[in-house]
Amino acid sequence: MHMPEKGRSWPEVKADLIGRGGNDAKWRDGRTAVYVFNAGEDIAEIQKEAYAAYMSENGLGPLAFPSLAQMEKDVISMALGLLHGPKGSTGSMTSGGTDSITMAVKTARDYARSKGRATERANVVLPQSAHLAFDKACHLMDIEVRRIPVKTDGSYEADAIAMGEACDADTVVMVGSAPNFPHGIIDPISALGSVAEEKGVWLHVDACVGGYIAPFARMNGVPVPDFDFEVPAVQSMSADLHKFGYAAKGASTVLFRTEELYSHMPFDLACWSGAPMKTPTLAGTRPGGAISAAWAVMNYLGVEGYRRLQGTVCETRQRIQDGVEALGFEVLGNPLLSLIAFRHPDHHAFAIYGEIYRRGWFTSVTKEPPSLHLMLSPKHAEVVDEYLADLAESLKTVAEGKAGEKVEARYS
Ligand SMILES: *Cc1c(COP(=O)(O)O)cnc(C)c1O
């Protein structure tokens, strides 16, 4: 597209704009189980109105916009309240999980260096199931990544012992996920905590996907193991508001056990011609709307609202779990929250993926082991039967050797 010489009217541009979504994944009707978190029309409206209310304001300027500074503080203290942050714990809002993870790794590295450790090349120790955002962060900072296979006992949990053995004097952080994305399994954070303590290594819990669902699932009676600051060795956490916090996109939280740990995060250097500019996270300009929308949704829902929505999500996962097992699929490990991955003993998951895709479902896959993958939102409660019927048809098509052309499942 060349920029038009003369602009067009807004009604014309708007019609064009909306029309462009015509070939996008159909998420409004619940047929997409990745990327979008559909908690209903009321939440969508609040996200938009609350975002628009502070869309022009900039989180870079807390002195100009004390409103945003206070909303961010409120969001962080609500987060710490849910995740057992002790007195003195603190954090910041970021643009997303990748940003939160990058800042946590950077903070852990700088903390280690402040103690005279990892002065040459730092390393981090991760379970193989941890998110690629850690590798991206480490690539940016020239940190070595040590990925350790998960347990082979069918639990898909991080192997705390093997991870401990992979730590050395240059290890700046060890990671557990709550839950991990590929399998939806919560790593044994207490066991990782014991190892981290023994080795004197910082433990980060990546609760990007679970941070705002696990606490409510637990209140609803789901047996969620200890995964947050309740485990004494956990020094930092990442938790995405734009996933199961149902906030507008561009909102996550990175949290630290103490002010002293946090103090290694902000960038505060005055070596330029401009006025001093202290930034807590990677971003300079920070969209005010992402802060106000998160604040508004959290206040609109409250504990009661989140418990209701997350109850629906967990029930939906259980219905899917029962349904796929009835079809002969094997569910990986023991998922407790919103993610589920499953495979069939006789037919390759990726062939089944192609068939369910052709039936209008935009879902995902896990590579190790090859499995179908779903990330469920409240909206999916309405389409469980439809999904299971299409899955049964897809399985039948594959079993009869009638599968169509291969469809490659990729994120991008
Ligand atoms: C989504 C996710 C991330 C990355 O978050 P983005 O917001 O996509 O950058 C990291 N870890 C886990 C477990 C996730 O599910």
Side-chain angles (χ1 to χ4, degrees):
M1 184 176 199
H2 287 286
M3 183 181 285
E5 206 48 52
K6 280 177 76 106
R8 298 183 284 162
S9 72
W10 169 234
E12 193 189 326
V13 174
K14 184 177 173 183
D16 189 351
L17 185 75
I18 303 299
R20 282 166 188 247
N23 293 325
D24 286 355
K26 304 282 173 275
W27 60 269
R28 289 181 178 81
D29 56 8
R31 296 177 80 87
T32 300
V34 55
Y35 303 126
V36 181
F37 303 82
N38 189 343
E41 277 306 313
D42 55 338
I43 310 265
E45 272 313 305
I46 289 158
Q47 286 178 352
K48 283 179 207 167
E49 267 191 54
Y51 198 103
Y54 285 86
M55 198 180 67
S56 304
E57 283 76 359
N58 190 339
L60 174 61
L63 298 176
F65 309 111
S67 54
L68 291 177
Q70 188 57 48
M71 282 189 264
E72 179 175 6
K73 277 201 184 119
D74 290 352
V75 166
I76 295 299
S77 73
M78 286 189 266
L80 290 166
L82 290 169
L83 298 168
H84 296 98
K87 197 168 176 315
S89 56
T90 183
S92 283
M93 287 185 71
T94 71
S95 65
T98 302
D99 192 347
S100 291
I101 286 168
T102 303
M103 295 320 296
V105 171
K106 180 258 184 221
T107 307
R109 182 202 60 181
D110 288 0
Y111 173 77
R113 290 199 171 150
S114 77
K115 304 285 176 205
R117 294 198 295 111
T119 47
E120 298 282 309
R121 193 164 188 233
N123 70 72
V124 307
V125 174
L126 311 174
Q128 172 65 5
S129 55
H131 199 277
L132 280 176
F134 288 97
D135 301 72
K136 188 191 274 186
C138 290
H139 179 75
L140 288 171
M141 291 180 267
D142 192 24
I143 293 173
E144 179 195 343
V145 180
R146 298 182 178 171
R147 283 189 168 266
I148 310 302
V150 296
K151 285 196 250 173
T152 51
D153 58 1
S155 69
Y156 296 92
E157 290 174 358
D159 184 338
I161 306 282
M163 285 176 63
E165 284 165 1
C167 290
D168 61 23
D170 294 326
T171 304
V172 295
V173 59
M174 232 172 99
V175 174
S177 311
N180 70 50
F181 188 79
H183 313 122
I185 302 300
I186 301 175
D187 285 328
I189 304 301
S190 295
L192 289 169
S194 306
V195 170
E197 253 163 21
E198 191 188 306
K199 301 277 171 186
V201 170
W202 177 308
L203 178 61
H204 176 84
V205 173
D206 180 18
C208 275
V209 79
Y212 296 101
I213 179 166
F216 302 106
R218 188 185 255 171
M219 290 175 205
N220 289 339
V222 176
V224 175
D226 291 354
F227 71 98
D228 58 17
F229 289 110
E230 221 172 350
V231 177
V234 174
Q235 308 299 352
S236 59
M237 295 186 71
S238 40
D240 289 350
L241 293 158
H242 62 198
K243 287 179 180 155
F244 291 93
Y246 305 117
K249 284 186 175 57
S252 173
T253 46
V254 61
L255 309 167
F256 298 88
R257 178 172 289 280
T258 67
E259 286 279 357
E260 140 73 354
L261 301 179
Y262 174 89
S263 71
H264 296 276
M265 184 168 80
F267 195 77
D268 187 11
L269 204 62
C271 62
W272 78 323
S273 321
M277 183 194 289
K278 179 175 175 175
T279 47
T281 61
L282 202 55
T285 293
R286 296 201 295 158
I291 299 172
S292 56
W295 186 92
V297 171
M298 289 168 107
N299 276 284
Y300 170 74
L301 283 173
V303 170
E304 202 184 352
Y306 278 108
R307 280 186 68 170
R308 178 173 43 79
L309 290 174
Q310 314 307 37
T312 303
V313 169
C314 291
E315 265 166 44
T316 302
R317 192 213 70 253
Q318 190 62 54
R319 284 170 64 204
I320 299 246
Q321 195 166 346
D322 296 344
V324 302
E325 282 173 354
L327 290 171
F329 286 90
E330 173 208 330
V331 172
L332 304 189
N334 181 27
L336 296 174
L337 304 171
S338 53
L339 290 165
I340 182 169
F342 49 96
R343 60 179 172 172
H344 199 279
D346 305 325
H347 303 292
H348 201 284
F350 297 175
I352 302 166
Y353 174 83
E355 290 309 305
I356 195 92
Y357 177 82
R358 265 186 274 282
R359 286 167 176 79
W361 296 88
F362 204 108
T363 61
S364 180
V365 301
T366 285
K367 226 174 57 203
E368 297 170 355
S371 317
L372 295 148
H373 180 276
L374 301 173
M375 181 155 61
L376 301 163
S377 305
K379 180 71 182 178
H380 292 116
E382 297 168 27
V383 298
V384 171
D385 295 336
E386 215 184 314
Y387 174 78
L388 290 172
D390 280 343
L391 185 66
E393 281 298 313
S394 300
L395 179 61
K396 189 158 162 268
T397 305
V398 170
E400 288 170 349
K402 292 183 186 154
E405 251 177 68
K406 187 166 175 269
V407 178
E408 197 189 0
R410 300 179 57 87
Y411 291 113
S412 44

